[in-house]
Amino acid sequence: MSSELEPVDEVGWQKRWTDERVFEADLRGDRPKFYCLEMYPYPSGKMHMGHVRNYSIGDAVARYKRMRGFDVLYPMGYDSFGMPAENAAISEGGHPHDSTERNMASITAQIKRMGFSYDWRRTLKSHDPRYYKWNQWFFTKFMENGLARREHAPVNWCEACNTVLANEQVKAGRCWRCNGPVEQKEMNQWFLDLPSYAQQLHDGLDTIAFPEHVKSLQKDWLGRSEGANIRFGIVGREEKIEVFTTRPDTLFGATFVTLAPEHPLARLLVEGTPQEAEWRALHDEVASMSEFDRIKNMNKKQGVFSGHHAVHPLTGNAVPIWFGNFVIASYGTGAVMAVPAHDERDFDFATAYDIPIRRVLVMKEGGDADAPMNQAETDLGYMVNSPLDGFDGLYGQAAKDAVCAALEAANHGERTVNWKVRPWLISRQRYWGTPIPVIHCKECGAVPVPESDLPVELPRDVVFAVEGNPLETSPTFVNASCPSCGAEARRETDTMDTFMDSSWYFLRYTDALNDDEPFAKAIADRWMMVDFYCGGIEHAQMHLIYARFMTKALRDLGLVDVDEPFNELLCQGMVNKSAPFCADCGVTLSVDHEGAPCPHCHGELTSRSAKMSKSHGNTVSPEAMIERFGADTVRLFILFAANPTAGMDWSDAALEANHRVMLQLRSMPEQLMAWTASDTPMDAWMEARFTQRIHEFTEAMERYDLRRAVEISHYEVIKDINWYVRRGGGNRAVAERLLPIWSQLISVSTPHLAEVWWNDHAATTGLVAASSLEVPTPLDDDQQVLLAGEQYIRDVLEQARKVRVVAERHLGQSATSATLVVAPDWKRTLAQSALAFLADGGHPKQFMSVLQELPLAQGERKGEILGFWGKKMLPQVFKWDDASKSVVISSMDEALVLSHASDFVAAELGLATVNIVVGESDADTTGRAGSTMPLSPAIVYA
RNA sequence: GCCGGGGUAGCCGAGUGGUCAAAGGCGUGAGGUUUAAGCCCUUAUCUCAAUGAGUUCGCAGGUUCGAAUCCUGCCCCCGGCACCA
């Protein structure tokens, strides 16, 4: 009985793995390498199910690859800078450093309890000065190369978090962390010139194995658009207005120019004019508004005339210059040429302010060039009404090209590619991050801290319960002398965005203990790229863009050779659990409401699967589950419950079911080793079947189909063994050959139990975690036939069971015997001919004429045979799978196979006798040969 | 609005032209085992007058000897972006 078995001593096995250092990755000679990585976690004190899922997936891959002979780099560390620790210090006192270290210790213990196969020597933590020193060093290099810049610019400010945010960290106008409103603020801030890598970041996506939706997300964010920069003169002034457009083909329809109210020229144009007050009102309204509100407001087109006119670059006509609330200062050039006829926004604006609308495209060739415009026609079209010769009639790209060529010839513009992505704002007005290594000197400006003075360490003498950046409260930190002139100076108190930390940690892992450089180039080059990267989809645009940018930037500093950090990216699905749901209100509620009516509408609640979260109260503690069922069960459940990329529903019942499987497996070796049966023909079947399973397993693992792999190792093999035993198998020698490899298969997902098998039952030495798995040679023909024959018996049994209910209804009593009528030879011959014909590429329709000529179709049964082909055999030849087809083609004697198994079949069906006859032979008195088919005998009960 | 991903039996979910009435799991029914329950094993689980036939893979058409799978149109769900010029 399974409950009498000792539970697996998981902690004991973990200790042995550590003692024997089996997971310490090093490059050994010429073995291939494999870099398996999970997104390193923020060290909250507790491991949650999302972590467990993430690492169970990665660990399975790492263990599999290790067993297949790779040097596997599989590290773990902590993204330990960031706001939660600092906020805790502000509200509860204490120091972020202490709480972070405490939390790290506790989450590390929980992670270790799962038995993941990390090389813990390489652990890194962002807040370690030995790590963030290199952030600072990179930063000073970037300054030297013009990649890092300080600019006074409007930036996103989150009041609640008391810091600025990168564009990527603003979601729908709100802060990605606290969901508070984000305002625009003009500040001096540090930026990294990510847009200069936009094209590379865009093109690189085609060289790596990211999921399509992640690529599309990144491309959206980079926002490539092709078009032209066009310069308009200003009547009576020297300055030019440069606009960006994707539609140069509509240039002749530009009846005004619109500037963002914050455009640098705006003030110059209106200062001291009657328009100044109106402009200022618009400017102030727009500039102070949070972006969220501004976008909401943009529906209402608001504009102010500047009092000036621009000069159309090709016609020389004067067109008015307006300021519009819908023009975004930070995109393109902050100015647009307005073509009301062919742009919806411009149409609305022109209509509101009574500006002329001039059609320059028609949507159909030869369309009416003077047709009135009731709305903007924004599709590509044929040029009309061009004031210059040579344009009318041109369409689409040709039209764009012609206009661009004219602009380039006149030096009033040129083709260009514009990117939506902005420079990466990395300044944060917070304490718990990497100090930006700069000293501000009145004379010398912003001076980078020399390499010899790095790292600039975070001071301990700060006060957290203050308004503003706690770093400013440390005089020892703030007061510094200028590295270049020695004068009194002030140290930069901005720290770096924590995404800086996570943008290169994967490089650090390759050489984590190096104190002389961030990583040795030769070592990093050997391990990179990351072959398998597993983490949440929420990082698809921030972390995964920054890390790709950083890799390219470090490459250009000569620090590493790779162009891309990650090859295969797997975004694991959410862990969900049911929570109360009100269908009428469409709200998911906390589990507190279970069984109660909806608090909003008082209707009855149903339940729905929802992401595990504190607010829903539907979280499940991994610790509690491990304590109850063990780490192996939790891992098995998590891998088996859903494909890695799919969302999975946590179910206690399913977890318990998986636990039962684990208990069953726990007792498996004893059962197998207790086999005492002698050799049977089934032994060869069992070995062939298991060989087939090994192949299926490795194929599933190679495509990271972990669910299928687990299904094979933990479910299918048991079924195979059950069948083997049912068929009279039970040879201990077979068990002895099978058990070691089976241990290896289960070790990928349930490594602790696998060690018990490997060490206590299989005649093996060492640890299964350090073993190597050989893929056996493919099955030979004899083995294929063996498997097919057995499959045939299973199919016949299944069919016999289905038919029996009906048959007994006809008989009016229980059946006591059955006759299996095997298809007559001519049907098999027919099938073989047809299969051969089709295998040669023949069309199914043509086989009828071939058949008419075949010897088997001659004679008085010709009509019957031709009819049988069309009605019965034609659909059937396509239904057979490859294995069945080869059985049909081979000369497996169905009657013989069934005869050998007739006692078994009789026993399975609880019948006294089972007779086997060939249809249409003298022995066949059933008259049922007509319904037979190769591999599908008629079953006649009596 | 644009871009991606989806819609498969009571539920979850595999399935990219024939191996599909559709894997596997969960749930449910039956039998075996058991003192009993559980575990475990076997078996059933779209409909009907049942060795057959019919109808099913969001909806409606189409291509094909053959469609869950390919094509066209439509509906719905999820994610992202969004007056981005």
Side-chain angles (χ1 to χ4, degrees), chain A residues 169-187:
Chain A
Q169 292 165 345
V170 182
K171 301 286 168 189
R174 296 187 161 264
C175 172
W176 70 296
R177 274 217 157 279
C178 72
N179 204 32
V182 172
E183 323 166 13
Q184 297 294 299
K185 220 173 170 178
E186 295 258 334
M187 292 176 76

Side-chain angles (χ1 to χ4, degrees), chain A residues 29 43 56 64 701 726 735 749 758 766 788 796 831 837 839 842 881:
Chain A
S56 296
Y64 172 74
M701 284 306 300
R726 261 169 89 190
S749 47
W758 182 268
V796 168
F837 175 78
D881 61 20

Side-chain angles (χ1 to χ4, degrees), chain A residues 516-799:
Chain A
D516 303 322
E517 49 188 340
F519 45 86
K521 180 168 184 298
I523 296 174
D525 283 340
R526 179 72 175 83
W527 281 114
M528 291 294 285
M529 342 157 47
V530 173
D531 296 279
F532 179 82
Y533 195 31
C534 182
I537 182 68
E538 67 273 17
H539 291 114
Q541 57 205 162
M542 290 192 280
H543 163 59
L544 287 171
I545 287 184
Y546 297 142
R548 294 181 58 227
F549 158 70
M550 195 72 164
T551 301
K552 290 172 193 297
L554 297 184
R555 175 203 61 195
D556 290 347
L557 290 178
L559 297 175
V560 69
D561 279 343
V562 287
D563 296 315
E564 289 284 343
F566 317 119
N567 185 33
E568 179 110 22
L569 172 69
L570 186 145
C571 293
Q572 103 243 20
M574 300 255 192
V575 184
N576 302 315
K577 189 166 189 280
S578 64
F581 177 72
C582 176
D584 295 330
C585 307
V587 208
T588 306
L589 298 156
S590 154
V591 291
D592 300 340
H593 294 92
E594 210 130 76
C598 171
H600 305 294
C601 69
H602 305 290
E604 205 171 313
L605 296 178
T606 54
S607 68
R608 174 187 260 200
S609 164
K611 183 188 177 181
M612 275 192 191
S613 72
K614 278 185 193 148
S615 60
H616 293 140
N618 59 349
T619 54
V620 173
S621 152
E623 276 184 291
M625 293 298 135
I626 297 166
E627 193 177 329
R628 236 178 108 193
F629 299 109
D632 276 348
T633 293
V634 174
R635 291 161 66 124
L636 177 70
F637 168 60
I638 266 190
L639 293 176
F640 186 62
N643 275 328
T645 55
M648 65 168 277
D649 286 339
W650 184 272
S651 146
D652 291 336
L655 179 71
E656 283 170 34
N658 282 284
H659 187 56
R660 291 197 294 267
V661 170
M662 287 306 292
L663 292 177
Q664 189 189 354
L665 285 168
R666 178 79 178 86
S667 64
M668 217 64 197
E670 279 99 336
Q671 280 182 40
L672 264 56
M673 290 305 169
W675 280 346
T676 52
S678 50
D679 299 0
T680 70
M682 283 306 289
D683 296 350
W685 176 85
M686 185 68 234
E687 301 217 26
R689 181 64 154 176
F690 189 64
T691 301
Q692 186 184 39
R693 292 304 188 198
I694 301 168
H695 280 118
E696 288 173 357
F697 179 86
T698 54
E699 283 156 19
M701 284 306 300
E702 292 296 336
R703 39 171 213 275
Y704 305 125
D705 186 350
L706 305 185
R707 210 193 145 282
R708 176 63 189 151
V710 167
E711 186 175 11
I712 293 163
S713 58
H714 288 69
Y715 292 81
E716 306 273 34
V717 174
I718 295 180
K719 289 185 197 164
D720 295 337
I721 289 172
N722 286 336
W723 177 259
Y724 170 64
V725 172
R726 261 169 89 190
R727 292 282 281 125
N731 184 346
R732 179 166 166 151
V734 171
E736 283 168 1
R737 281 194 291 274
L738 186 145
L739 198 56
I741 303 175
W742 194 11
S743 310
Q744 292 180 307
L745 302 192
I746 68 162
S747 77
V748 162
S749 47
T750 54
H752 307 92
L753 179 65
E755 293 293 0
V756 175
W757 285 19
W758 182 268
N759 283 273
D760 296 357
H761 302 286
T764 42
T765 54
L767 289 162
V768 68
S771 69
S772 92
L773 172 67
E774 304 297 334
V775 177
T777 52
L779 297 179
D780 62 30
D781 290 350
D782 290 348
Q783 290 178 305
Q784 299 274 16
V785 169
L786 213 51
L787 293 181
E790 210 56 24
Q791 187 61 45
Y792 175 60
I793 292 168
R794 296 186 86 143
D795 292 346
V796 168
L797 257 184
E798 191 184 326
Q799 186 59 23

Side-chain angles (χ1 to χ4, degrees), chain A residues 64-80:
Chain A
Y64 172 74
K65 289 289 178 180
R66 209 175 279 122
M67 214 153 59
R68 295 304 308 282
F70 289 83
D71 285 332
V72 174
L73 176 55
Y74 183 50
M76 171 53 66
Y78 296 101
D79 188 14
S80 49

Side-chain angles (χ1 to χ4, degrees), chain A residues 13-301:
Chain A
W13 290 112
Q14 288 160 12
K15 185 168 183 308
R16 262 193 75 185
W17 292 331
T18 307
D19 292 347
E20 301 192 18
R21 305 170 60 165
V22 288
F23 305 136
E24 296 187 3
D26 289 302
L27 293 161
R28 287 167 282 182
D30 55 358
R31 287 156 52 107
K33 69 91 187 177
F34 192 88
Y35 190 170
C36 180
L37 184 66
E38 293 138 6
M39 292 179 184
Y40 74 157
Y42 179 82
S44 61
K46 290 221 178 256
M47 176 173 73
H48 59 66
M49 274 307 166
H51 293 131
V52 174
R53 189 171 190 201
N54 191 182
Y55 312 150
S56 296
I57 292 166
D59 188 57
V61 171
R63 285 180 183 269
Y64 172 74
K65 289 289 178 180
R66 209 175 279 122
M67 214 153 59
R68 295 304 308 282
F70 289 83
D71 285 332
V72 174
L73 176 55
Y74 183 50
M76 171 53 66
Y78 296 101
D79 188 14
S80 49
F81 268 142
M83 299 219 312
E86 186 171 347
N87 290 343
I90 292 168
S91 61
E92 295 152 29
H95 193 281
H97 182 272
D98 301 337
S99 60
T100 299
E101 288 285 337
R102 210 165 44 236
N103 284 339
M104 268 180 49
S106 104
I107 195 172
T108 299
Q110 293 173 26
I111 290 174
K112 286 192 169 173
R113 180 59 188 82
M114 286 297 294
F116 299 126
S117 60
Y118 298 120
D119 179 355
W120 284 100
R121 293 172 310 166
R122 295 170 182 269
T123 300
L124 61 80
K125 43 187 185 180
S126 302
H127 74 280
D128 185 344
R130 286 176 303 175
Y131 182 73
Y132 70 68
K133 169 183 178 176
W134 303 112
N135 288 347
Q136 297 174 335
W137 186 74
F138 296 147
F139 183 87
T140 59
K141 294 286 162 202
F142 289 161
M143 277 181 81
E144 282 171 28
N145 289 279
L147 206 57
R149 280 197 301 269
R150 185 170 151 92
E151 275 177 29
H152 189 73
V155 295
N156 306 300
W157 174 265
C158 174
E159 189 60 42
C161 295
N162 195 39
T163 184
V164 298
L165 300 170
N167 278 22
E168 291 79 2
Q169 292 165 345
V170 182
K171 301 286 168 189
R174 296 187 161 264
C175 172
W176 70 296
R177 274 217 157 279
C178 72
N179 204 32
V182 172
E183 323 166 13
Q184 297 294 299
K185 220 173 170 178
E186 295 258 334
M187 292 176 76
N188 265 313
Q189 296 289 296
W190 289 98
F191 293 88
L192 297 186
D193 188 7
L194 188 147
S196 65
Y197 284 87
Q199 188 72 54
Q200 288 186 44
L201 289 167
H202 185 270
D203 296 345
L205 289 170
D206 295 331
T207 68
I208 53 182
F210 279 21
E212 274 315 308
H213 65 289
V214 173
K215 290 186 182 183
S216 126
L217 229 59
Q218 295 213 350
K219 285 185 178 176
D220 274 358
W221 194 262
L222 293 165
R224 183 177 200 275
S225 69
E226 282 181 30
N229 278 341
I230 302 174
R231 287 177 291 279
F232 286 69
I234 303 174
V235 175
R237 298 183 71 105
E238 292 294 307
E239 299 95 338
K240 301 260 184 193
I241 296 173
E242 186 164 65
V243 305
F244 171 75
T245 181
T246 54
R247 296 297 300 277
D249 55 322
T250 64
L251 175 58
F252 291 125
T255 55
F256 59 107
V257 168
T258 317
L259 305 188
E262 310 98 309
H263 194 284
L265 273 176
R267 180 187 303 273
L268 296 174
L269 290 177
V270 297
E271 210 148 44
T273 73
Q275 281 79 24
E276 180 172 359
E278 251 191 296
W279 163 77
R280 188 168 297 285
L282 183 69
H283 174 274
D284 291 352
E285 185 186 342
V286 162
S288 64
M289 218 180 261
S290 74
E291 195 172 345
F292 190 69
D293 293 333
R294 182 170 174 182
I295 288 167
K296 270 200 308 199
N297 246 355
M298 278 185 186
N299 294 320
K300 291 181 228 125
K301 298 276 175 298

